[in-house]
Amino acid sequence: MLMLSLSFCAAAQNNERLTVFIAVEGLNDFAVNRLWENSNAHALKFPHKVFGGTESLATLMSGTLPRTHGIAHDLYFDGEKHRLLPILSRKGIASIGADDILTPENITAPTLPDMLKINNKFSKIYAVALNPKFAITLAGHNANAAIWLNAKTMRWAASQYYREGLPAAADKMNVAKEIETRAQQIWRPSLDSVQLYHYLSDKERVEHGFAYYAAGKDKNGSQFFVNTPFANQLVLDLALELQDEHKLGIYTDDMLLLQLTTNTPASMSDRVQSAEQEDMYLSLWKQITDFSDTLSARVNNNVNIIITGIPSRGESAVTLEKHHLACGEFNIERAAALVNTYLMAIYGHHSWIIGTNANALIVNKSILSEQKINYNDFTLQVAQFLENFEGVNKAYTVQQINAACNDNTELTQIRNSISKLYDGDVFVTLTKGWRLSSNSQTLDTYHSGVATAPTIIITNGQAMDYDATSAVELLPNICKILKIDYIK
């Protein structure tokens, strides 16, 4: 088992500090407690619907619910174009080295880097991620730069929304083709024998382990590199270059916000089910430990490290089928079309359902008004019809959701999820094991009654205890440690 050995130097007389916030996609409670010894991790519950996207990270970063911070899903329904668009998309602001056009403007609550910048306008803040949506969510509105890995070009990319664009340290790695060089490596088990792994899969047992050429691609064309320990190390190395380039934590309270991953090329859920996933955890714990020790040698003052998870993938359909459990995929757009046909037979030939938004159907209110049809009765009829669909557990009208009490019911969880860009008229919940999809993609990659994020706070080299059980309580605790104002 790996032990955390963070030997931070004693704090200097000044109060400057470097804070490192590390968000790990797919980090699992059970695996952390089993594989990261003495981590003192808390399992923070999300009081809202988690789809396996940016909504959970936005909650952790803002200390608020989606109805306040505005990010309830990776996508939203555009009423004018009648199609789903990335919730962080924005015209007119280009990216450097990528086609992604993303900004934090739809994040409607202040986040951790925003609060630091408000507290000290001289603070320097950099976000580095494997995925552009996480880079933007981590950076918030006031970072110096948001940088991510463009897996297509094997170069760092950045958003021009932030004043520094692509920092020199990232550009230097691009010019040297550093990422391409690292992608030539082969990832094999790090332990002496695959029999030493606790979670060896049947396939790995037969093949005596696993091996991935990092520059290879899976059957869907996705790059293996971004789901290997090499990619995590790349993020940490760039973070160290940025610290050195900008002397982070030396003269001001500064911040690094990093996104890493525990997802591997063959993994189908956050639950560890292979030596490959176990090796990813073991490698990551050592990488974070080495990274922390390097920082401690450089920064002769306070260093705080927060490690938290981003729920990524629920239980896989393959596992459920293997154990004779029900599973399936519920196509929300196909369901909307069938509902529309049903309504046409009753009310006439009109487009009664104009679109979908994650697990919500959007009713054509203007037609209801023209036809003098009662909205409440109409949506209730739609909800009752939807409950006959295979895979649907329950359907709720927005009136039922808004009337929900502040308790732990499913209705309250949905109400906590509704935001300006994630609204609708009838919402469906699915039977456990079922996934939400549209005609072009799976929308719900994480399906669980209550999702959690394992979270560790390390200060002065020690994994500390703190008072938090909910994901919205993390940020107030961080602000207290950093001695900055928590802005609700």
Side-chain angles (χ1 to χ4, degrees):
M1 295 293 180
L2 288 173
M3 299 289 289
L4 182 65
S5 57
L6 304 175
S7 54
F8 290 108
C9 298
Q13 291 184 349
N14 58 8
N15 294 319
E16 286 75 31
R17 64 179 67 83
L18 176 61
T19 299
V20 184
F21 187 99
I22 302 175
V24 185
E25 186 180 21
L27 199 66
N28 175 271
D29 292 332
F30 182 83
V32 166
N33 290 325
R34 182 74 187 273
L35 302 172
W36 291 7
E37 191 172 336
N38 296 332
S39 64
N40 198 21
H42 287 221
L44 303 183
K45 296 179 180 178
F46 290 95
H48 59 79
K49 174 64 179 169
V50 166
F51 290 98
T54 47
E55 70 285 337
S56 52
L57 182 56
T59 294
L60 292 163
M61 296 295 298
S62 68
T64 61
L65 298 169
R67 66 183 186 186
T68 300
H69 63 63
I71 308 300
H73 194 270
D74 282 345
L75 307 170
Y76 78 98
F77 180 76
D78 187 297
E80 294 182 0
K81 297 180 179 179
H82 283 206
R83 63 187 178 96
L84 293 168
L85 297 174
I87 200 165
L88 296 176
S89 64
R90 168 69 192 276
K91 286 185 177 181
I93 298 180
S95 295
I96 302 169
D99 296 329
D100 308 278
I101 303 175
L102 307 174
T103 78
E105 293 181 4
N106 284 333
I107 303 175
T108 53
T111 63
L112 175 58
D114 298 327
M115 294 176 195
L116 178 63
K117 184 67 77 170
I118 291 170
N119 183 77
N120 185 342
K121 65 180 181 180
F122 298 109
S123 293
K124 299 180 288 294
I125 302 167
Y126 294 88
V128 185
L130 297 172
N131 190 303
K133 65 183 181 183
F134 293 136
I136 299 299
T137 308
L138 286 169
H141 306 83
N142 288 283
N144 292 62
I147 310 153
W148 64 86
L149 173 64
N150 185 336
K152 293 180 180 179
T153 63
M154 283 296 181
R155 282 169 169 70
W156 289 116
S159 171
Q160 289 191 7
Y161 175 89
Y162 303 95
R163 56 185 175 276
E164 283 194 27
L166 186 70
D171 185 56
K172 182 179 178 181
M173 292 180 80
N174 285 348
V175 172
K177 297 185 177 181
E178 179 73 21
I179 303 174
E180 293 178 75
T181 299
R182 297 194 190 199
Q184 302 308 308
Q185 300 174 88
I186 296 178
W187 177 29
R188 294 187 176 93
S190 58
L191 299 185
D192 293 337
S193 169
V194 292
Q195 302 302 324
L196 296 174
Y197 290 92
H198 298 288
Y199 303 101
L200 189 65
S201 69
D202 293 338
K203 183 175 184 292
E204 290 168 333
R205 196 181 305 277
V206 171
E207 297 180 0
H208 304 289
F210 60 88
Y212 290 100
Y213 174 50
K217 297 181 180 180
D218 64 19
K219 61 183 180 181
N220 298 317
S222 298
Q223 199 82 34
F224 284 147
F225 179 75
V226 295
N227 292 319
T228 68
F230 309 133
N232 286 334
Q233 189 61 54
L234 182 72
V235 170
L236 295 171
D237 287 349
L238 178 56
L240 290 174
E241 290 295 323
L242 289 167
Q243 187 281 323
D244 183 55
E245 178 183 340
H246 300 282
K247 307 303 176 189
L248 303 181
I250 302 296
Y251 306 111
T252 56
D253 291 344
D254 300 321
M255 186 172 290
L256 284 166
L257 302 112
L258 315 176
Q259 180 251 317
L260 308 175
T261 189
T262 56
N263 290 341
T264 61
S267 64
M268 293 178 287
S269 77
D270 290 349
R271 185 165 63 88
V272 177
Q273 302 176 82
S274 65
E276 168 194 308
Q277 288 176 280
E278 185 178 347
D279 196 76
M280 191 73 148
Y281 272 87
L282 297 176
S283 298
L284 183 58
W285 192 230
K286 185 178 186 305
Q287 288 169 330
I288 291 175
T289 300
D290 292 346
F291 170 77
S292 303
D293 288 342
T294 301
L295 279 183
S296 71
R298 291 184 182 183
V299 182
N300 189 28
N301 53 17
N302 293 330
V303 178
N304 299 303
I305 296 181
I306 300 99
I307 307 168
T308 191
I310 309 171
S312 174
R313 301 170 179 175
E315 196 57 80
S316 71
V318 172
T319 301
L320 294 173
E321 288 175 346
K322 183 179 179 180
H323 291 87
H324 311 292
L325 298 173
C327 62
E329 198 164 272
F330 179 79
N331 188 299
I332 189 71
E333 292 178 4
R334 194 175 303 140
L338 290 172
V339 171
N340 206 46
T341 301
Y342 164 74
L343 294 171
M344 284 182 184
I346 298 173
Y347 296 104
H349 194 79
H350 294 286
S351 294
W352 300 102
I353 307 297
I354 59 172
T356 63
N357 192 0
N359 64 330
L361 270 63
I362 302 169
V363 169
N364 191 336
K365 297 180 184 65
S366 62
I367 293 295
L368 291 185
S369 179
E370 289 177 10
Q371 299 294 315
K372 295 182 172 53
I373 297 173
N374 182 275
Y375 172 79
N376 292 350
D377 294 341
F378 184 86
T379 53
L380 185 60
Q381 184 177 18
V382 171
Q384 291 171 344
F385 181 66
L386 278 168
E387 289 185 354
N388 295 313
F389 284 53
E390 186 181 12
V392 173
N393 179 47
K394 191 71 178 175
Y396 300 104
T397 67
V398 72
Q399 301 96 304
Q400 292 172 319
I401 292 167
N402 288 331
C405 300
N406 290 318
D407 53 25
N408 294 321
T409 65
E410 191 173 55
L411 274 172
T412 302
Q413 189 185 48
I414 298 174
R415 190 183 69 172
N416 290 342
S417 304
I418 296 175
S419 69
K420 185 177 180 181
L421 288 178
Y422 173 64
D423 57 6
D425 301 289
V426 181
F427 294 75
V428 298
T429 63
L430 304 180
T431 304
K432 187 174 179 59
W434 281 70
R435 305 297 175 87
L436 185 70
S437 70
S438 68
N439 290 334
S440 58
Q441 61 192 304
T442 299
L443 300 177
D444 186 1
T445 57
Y446 189 92
H447 185 80
S448 174
V450 180
T452 58
T455 305
I456 304 162
I457 297 179
I458 301 167
T459 182
N460 296 325
Q462 298 295 321
M464 65 175 291
D465 200 5
Y466 55 98
D467 184 21
T469 58
S470 171
V472 298
E473 297 171 342
L474 176 61
L475 185 56
N477 274 272
I478 295 174
C479 289
K480 185 177 180 180
I481 293 168
L482 300 186
K483 298 179 181 179
I484 61 176
D485 291 334
Y486 169 60
I487 303 172
K488 295 182 179 180

